[in-house]
Amino acid sequence: MMAKQQPPALVLNGIYKHYGDIQAVNGVDLTIEKGEIVAFLGPNGAGKTTTIDMILGLQQPTQGSLSVFGMHPHQAIRRGLLSAVMQTGGLLRDYTVAETLQFMAILYGRRTSVVDVMKRAGIDHVSSSQVRLCSGGEQQRLRFAIALLSDPEFLILDEPTQGMDVEARRNFWLSIRQDAALGRTIVFATHYLEEADSYANRIVLIRKGEIVADGTPMEVKSKSSDKIVRAHVTDIDKDKILSLAGVHSLDFANGKLEIRCSDSDSVARYLLLQTNAANLEIALAGLEEVFLNLTHD
Ligand code: ATP
């Protein structure tokens, strides 16, 4: 007998969401398979939160259909398959971390032990601290722990590290990454390019309510044909380099030269044959470049 095929974690089918004249989401088609870690990356107002709200059933699309594991989002949430870590709100400040989780576990019908989720979210060391005394990063990990209570197959995080410092952000993502290794499907919205690059295995770049790029971080980065050529050199003729075909800009300081260009071969040839350049390196332009190219007018 053939095994029954599982529906994808998420299917968005021709989704539009309009608020009066504002077209927040403008025809999005997207399928996310089980186990994918997907970053929704886009500038302010691109439509990331609106899309997430629709996936969670908090907003209804103006047009189009969507399903989570083949069912309505509310049904997926009721079954404990779908859970979310939102940006703010929702914590009782005078409860301790452990009390908050015990309370939520009863409210939602616990599946996972409170001690276990505290460990997985990395907040077991503050279990008896009152929420109001926890740092922003710890409160966000508490939201993550709450989301883990139902042991969801699909976790959505809307800008979960907003306002955290670099170390808190790194620790938060470490917890998420360890958890993702268990096979959970994860979608997160972020402004931070490096978060998308480091923690997602697929980036969906959104601009004005539309998907403008979709692929692995490598694939998305390769959308920009720009290259960066770096070399050590004692002296350069700036005008000559800028006049080479395909050169967009250059930086030169303390003997280090960096050239942004579309034709790295001719730049490399010039540097090696006409100057004393050494330690030549050629790299693809980064995600930031692609982000700016694809998300601005
Ligand atoms: P950010 O990164 O700033 O959070 P975003 O990509 O999440 O932005 P959304 O919050 O989805 O973007 O907003 C998309 C557009 O829809 C924006 O122009 C926003 O002002 C508008 N919008 C969002 N929610 C509402 C609402 N409830 N009523 C009216 N307009 C809204």
Side-chain angles (χ1 to χ4, degrees), residues 5-284:
Q5 215 182 345
Q6 274 203 329
L10 176 69
V11 178
L12 300 180
N13 211 338
I15 293 284
Y16 290 79
K17 179 70 184 177
H18 297 170
Y19 298 107
D21 287 344
I22 297 171
Q23 303 187 337
V25 176
N26 226 344
V28 164
D29 292 295
L30 183 69
T31 299
I32 293 176
E33 299 295 343
K34 203 166 171 284
E36 284 194 280
I37 302 179
V38 182
F40 283 178
L41 182 64
N44 287 131
K48 305 181 294 294
T49 298
T50 306
T51 305
I52 283 178
D53 284 352
M54 289 189 283
I55 298 170
L56 292 170
L58 299 170
Q59 292 275 0
Q60 292 306 310
T62 310
Q63 196 182 316
S65 62
L66 67 96
S67 64
V68 177
F69 296 115
M71 58 188 96
H72 189 279
H74 291 168
Q75 206 178 351
I77 290 170
R78 272 199 301 275
R79 291 193 186 181
L81 295 170
L82 175 64
S83 192
V85 180
M86 305 306 269
Q87 282 181 44
T88 51
L91 296 178
L92 299 161
R93 294 170 51 77
D94 292 332
Y95 280 47
T96 67
V97 165
E99 283 166 356
T100 304
L101 286 162
Q102 279 150 5
F103 177 67
M104 292 297 186
I106 293 164
L107 201 67
Y108 292 143
R110 104 184 50 197
R111 289 201 194 178
T112 317
S113 95
V114 166
V115 174
D116 185 40
V117 294
M118 282 195 295
K119 275 201 192 118
R120 276 156 65 195
I123 46 169
D124 42 337
H125 63 295
V126 289
S127 64
S128 50
S129 302
Q130 283 185 320
V131 170
R132 66 191 168 85
L133 300 176
C134 291
S135 70
E138 286 161 354
Q139 291 189 11
Q140 205 55 337
R141 280 154 173 265
L142 174 56
R143 290 191 182 91
F144 173 44
I146 293 170
L148 290 180
L149 277 173
S150 67
D151 196 20
E153 293 202 20
F154 187 0
L155 188 58
I156 296 190
L157 307 110
D158 191 7
E159 295 182 25
T161 58
Q162 190 83 350
M164 285 188 203
D165 65 24
V166 176
E167 200 188 340
R169 251 199 282 160
R170 195 184 324 112
N171 290 336
F172 181 81
W173 281 110
L174 223 78
S175 306
I176 299 277
R177 190 181 244 179
Q178 278 166 4
D179 208 68
L182 303 173
R184 220 182 286 283
T185 309
I186 293 180
V187 168
F188 64 96
T190 186
H191 288 126
Y192 298 113
L193 308 179
E194 67 281 9
E195 280 190 351
D197 198 10
S198 306
Y199 302 110
N201 48 32
R202 178 173 171 194
I203 294 177
V204 173
L205 198 56
I206 301 175
R207 173 186 187 261
K208 293 186 178 170
E210 291 177 30
I211 295 176
V212 290
D214 178 356
T216 63
M218 204 47 163
E219 283 164 353
V220 172
K221 278 190 265 190
S222 69
K223 288 231 166 217
S224 167
S225 56
D226 274 7
K227 311 272 191 340
I228 310 288
V229 179
R230 295 189 184 90
H232 290 152
V233 58
T234 47
D235 193 25
I236 56 158
D237 179 346
K238 275 193 185 180
D239 292 337
K240 172 68 191 165
I241 293 177
L242 287 169
S243 73
L244 295 173
V247 170
H248 304 315
S249 64
L250 72 81
D251 270 325
F252 181 56
N254 303 322
K256 287 184 183 165
L257 175 66
E258 185 171 302
I259 301 170
R260 187 175 293 277
C261 60
S262 52
D263 181 359
S264 52
D265 291 345
S266 61
V267 171
R269 198 171 296 121
Y270 167 80
L271 289 175
L272 292 173
L273 296 178
Q274 310 283 329
T275 75
N276 66 353
N279 299 325
L280 193 110
E281 268 175 39
I282 300 175
L284 272 177

